[in-house]
Amino acid sequence: MSFVNTLRQWDEAVAYVEKGDISSALRTFLAIEEKISKINYNIGCLHLHNDDFDAAEKAFDSSIGKDEHLAVAFFQRGITFYKKEKFEESLLDFQQTFKELRGNQLIDYKPLGLRYKLYACEVLHNIGLLYAKLGKWEKAQENLLTALNLRTEAKFSHIDQALESILKQKLFSLVEIKPGLLFKPNKNYVAELEKKDYLGKAKVLSSIVPADNFSGFAPLQPQVEDVPSTPKAPEVLRALEGEPHTVLYEFIPETKEELAVLPGNIVFVLQRGTDNWASVIFNERRGLVPYNFLEPLDITVASKVVPVRVLFKNTLSSNGVSSGCIVKVHFMFTIVICIKPGQPYTAMLQMISTKLKLPASALTLSYVKPDSNERVTVDESEMQVLWSCVKNNRITLWCSASEDRSETRKKMVALYSYEASTPEDLAFSKGDVITVLSKVNEEWFEGECNGKTGIFPSSFVIDP
């Protein structure tokens, strides 16, 4: 079966679900011959909705078999095992879900077609419930306390209630995904299913050739000879036009337009679409990759005419293996720097200060030691231990900044409404009064509004 037919049936099945016709949707999904991971996931969700747990388990097995890093499939299979009262298997699936989050507080599946955010705190909530089911109350309490630390929004009050239940050695409700939330096909691909005649039928209105009735796209006319042509620039040079990013997760293409990449690969983003897919270049090949699989890489290019290999002179050894350490720094937003392992604290702090455009004296760095959930403040005496924690040439830091009183407590009025797209954003409506707490950079402020704190674009506010 061609991809076009698969796409058409996929879109048709989703339409049935939106109409509430689950049986027709399930029948359409099952008729697809070449089922990708997302389609198997959708089938599992529909079986789970129908309480057909054996069929749901089989479908989620197929989904995971085709994409072993699809965390939401492990999460749904864990729910299926829970409903089948296979609590040990359910616990293993939720633990694998948390592992696939790779240290992130959430995974937003919207760029992949699923309008759902999988939160680490809710995964830990379910892990705590499973430990409680197995009679391991201390383990349950430990996971719920960790969930509280990872909680990003006030809407997760059920975690507090779960912790209260654990202290009384009582069970609580499982966190589940709302029925009807499925992976949908890319809307741009669906729009191409129906052919459109934009030009209509051509008609000759005037021609230098007598009795010219030609109605094609190349009318009879004299041709100019020896027209100079501009040679197409090789893709390796076009990479210099893009922004370098490092790949966070493995991406397996499902269409010929998409590009396979692995964690640690360096790609150049040429364009980021409104659907959050990025057009990138990797190894002289161009294709699409989900933008949330990428992270900006701080690489300074001395000249736009140097070969691409020179860009990585300081970070790649002769055999192509990275000789620098990729440091991810969580601030009000996330940045990435590349630094040679073993560098002193002052060197690392200065690089982060330059990247954030904030004075080094105002910054405080911290990190989490292995087998520990507590953050340790970084200073010169801690650097040797910090560098020993580097794994696969990567380490994660957290950064906080003291307030600059010259820029704080300034009242501004919202010109436009701003909707939060990440937990760090501050949402507000047009006309709201916002207290500016600090200036992150030229484009972003940190502020407070309606009892909430977060960052927002500076162009959205004005002095009253």
Side-chain angles (χ1 to χ4, degrees), residues 34-270:
E34 299 178 7
K35 301 179 182 66
I36 61 176
S37 178
K38 297 176 185 177
I39 291 176
N40 282 314
Y41 171 88
N42 289 350
I43 293 172
C45 290
L46 296 180
H47 282 310
L48 188 59
H49 176 73
N50 291 337
D51 293 334
D52 189 349
F53 303 132
D54 290 336
E57 178 187 343
K58 183 178 179 181
F60 290 130
D61 285 343
S62 299
S63 177
I64 293 168
K66 291 181 178 293
D67 184 356
E68 58 183 10
H69 298 296
L70 190 61
V72 72
F74 283 105
F75 187 80
Q76 286 288 62
R77 193 173 69 175
I79 292 174
T80 304
F81 280 134
Y82 183 87
K83 292 181 180 293
K84 294 178 71 173
E85 298 187 354
K86 294 184 177 181
F87 300 126
E88 292 185 355
E89 289 90 339
S90 179
L91 176 60
L92 290 174
D93 266 353
F94 286 131
Q95 289 174 332
Q96 185 63 33
T97 303
F98 187 75
K99 181 180 178 181
E100 293 300 332
L101 282 162
R102 302 172 186 264
N104 295 298
Q105 290 184 326
L106 62 91
I107 297 178
D108 186 356
Y109 284 99
K110 184 178 179 181
L112 300 180
L114 175 66
R115 297 183 65 85
Y116 182 74
K117 293 179 181 179
L118 180 64
Y119 289 90
C121 60
E122 294 199 309
V123 177
L124 289 170
H125 173 282
N126 284 0
I127 292 176
L129 174 60
L130 265 300
Y131 274 124
K133 275 283 188 181
L134 297 173
K136 299 179 180 180
W137 298 100
E138 291 184 3
K139 280 281 190 181
Q141 181 178 345
E142 178 184 333
N143 279 273
L144 286 172
L145 288 172
T146 306
L148 282 177
N149 291 331
L150 294 177
R151 183 174 60 181
T152 57
E153 299 179 24
K155 69 179 182 180
F156 299 123
S157 58
H158 55 274
I159 298 177
D160 297 282
Q161 298 168 5
L163 188 57
E164 291 178 7
S165 299
I166 287 296
L167 296 175
K168 300 174 184 177
Q169 292 198 353
K170 293 183 179 180
L171 298 177
F172 47 90
S173 300
L174 184 76
V175 172
E176 301 182 53
I177 297 177
K178 182 181 178 181
L181 291 179
L182 304 178
F183 280 106
K184 297 181 180 180
N186 188 299
K187 60 182 181 181
N188 294 329
Y189 295 158
V190 173
E192 294 298 324
L193 289 178
E194 296 185 10
K195 297 180 180 179
K196 301 179 178 64
D197 184 9
Y198 293 102
L199 297 178
K201 187 176 181 181
K203 181 180 180 180
V204 176
L205 298 178
S206 178
S207 174
I208 63 171
V209 180
D212 183 7
N213 293 320
F214 186 83
S215 60
F217 292 104
L220 300 176
Q221 54 186 306
Q223 300 296 313
V224 179
E225 298 181 358
D226 300 325
V227 178
S229 60
T230 304
K232 182 181 178 181
E235 293 290 354
V236 68
L237 294 181
R238 290 203 61 197
L240 296 175
E241 302 173 7
E243 295 295 331
H245 286 63
T246 183
V247 178
L248 297 177
Y249 316 112
E250 179 181 5
F251 177 66
I252 301 175
E254 297 176 351
T255 70
K256 62 181 181 180
E257 290 85 5
E258 297 170 358
L259 188 64
V261 290
L262 295 172
N265 289 158
I266 304 297
V267 302
F268 287 83
V269 175
L270 299 178

Side-chain angles (χ1 to χ4, degrees), residues 168-426:
K168 300 174 184 177
Q169 292 198 353
K170 293 183 179 180
L171 298 177
F172 47 90
S173 300
L174 184 76
V175 172
E176 301 182 53
I177 297 177
K178 182 181 178 181
L181 291 179
L182 304 178
F183 280 106
K184 297 181 180 180
N186 188 299
K187 60 182 181 181
N188 294 329
Y189 295 158
V190 173
E192 294 298 324
L193 289 178
E194 296 185 10
K195 297 180 180 179
K196 301 179 178 64
D197 184 9
Y198 293 102
L199 297 178
K201 187 176 181 181
K203 181 180 180 180
V204 176
L205 298 178
S206 178
S207 174
I208 63 171
V209 180
D212 183 7
N213 293 320
F214 186 83
S215 60
F217 292 104
L220 300 176
Q221 54 186 306
Q223 300 296 313
V224 179
E225 298 181 358
D226 300 325
V227 178
S229 60
T230 304
K232 182 181 178 181
E235 293 290 354
V236 68
L237 294 181
R238 290 203 61 197
L240 296 175
E241 302 173 7
E243 295 295 331
H245 286 63
T246 183
V247 178
L248 297 177
Y249 316 112
E250 179 181 5
F251 177 66
I252 301 175
E254 297 176 351
T255 70
K256 62 181 181 180
E257 290 85 5
E258 297 170 358
L259 188 64
V261 290
L262 295 172
N265 289 158
I266 304 297
V267 302
F268 287 83
V269 175
L270 299 178
Q271 185 178 8
R272 179 180 175 183
T274 55
D275 57 356
N276 216 28
W277 282 78
S279 176
V280 307
I281 287 180
F282 174 64
N283 281 350
E284 301 187 31
R285 296 180 59 195
R286 182 172 178 174
L288 298 175
V289 174
Y291 189 77
N292 64 336
F293 280 48
L294 310 177
E295 193 167 52
L297 185 61
D298 184 23
I299 299 177
T300 301
V301 183
S303 172
K304 284 282 185 175
V305 297
V306 295
V308 172
R309 293 183 182 272
V310 178
L311 296 178
F312 305 100
K313 181 177 180 181
N314 297 324
T315 58
L316 298 182
S317 60
S318 59
N319 59 3
V321 179
S322 175
S323 61
C325 177
I326 302 298
V327 182
K328 181 192 293 185
V329 184
H330 293 304
F331 185 51
M332 297 172 185
F333 47 91
T334 301
I335 64 170
V336 176
I337 64 171
C338 184
I339 186 172
K340 186 176 180 181
Q343 290 292 304
Y345 173 71
T346 52
M348 175 182 286
L349 183 63
Q350 187 57 48
M351 291 184 68
I352 296 173
S353 169
T354 303
K355 184 76 173 179
L356 294 177
K357 298 180 180 178
L358 292 173
S361 58
L363 302 180
T364 301
L365 305 180
S366 60
Y367 75 109
V368 177
K369 291 184 178 180
D371 304 322
S372 172
N373 292 323
E374 296 183 2
R375 295 182 189 174
V376 179
T377 301
V378 181
D379 53 27
E380 198 62 60
S381 63
E382 195 69 27
M383 289 302 290
Q384 185 175 356
V385 179
L386 184 146
W387 287 122
S388 67
C389 297
V390 174
K391 290 185 178 180
N392 299 322
N393 280 337
R394 283 167 172 75
I395 193 168
T396 300
L397 301 179
W398 283 260
C399 178
S400 59
S402 59
E403 293 183 349
D404 182 358
R405 293 295 174 184
S406 63
E407 294 285 346
T408 60
R409 304 301 171 184
K410 183 177 181 180
K411 300 289 186 179
M412 305 194 83
V413 178
L415 280 173
Y416 318 102
S417 296
Y418 181 64
E419 182 178 351
S421 58
T422 70
E424 293 82 8
D425 289 350
L426 176 65

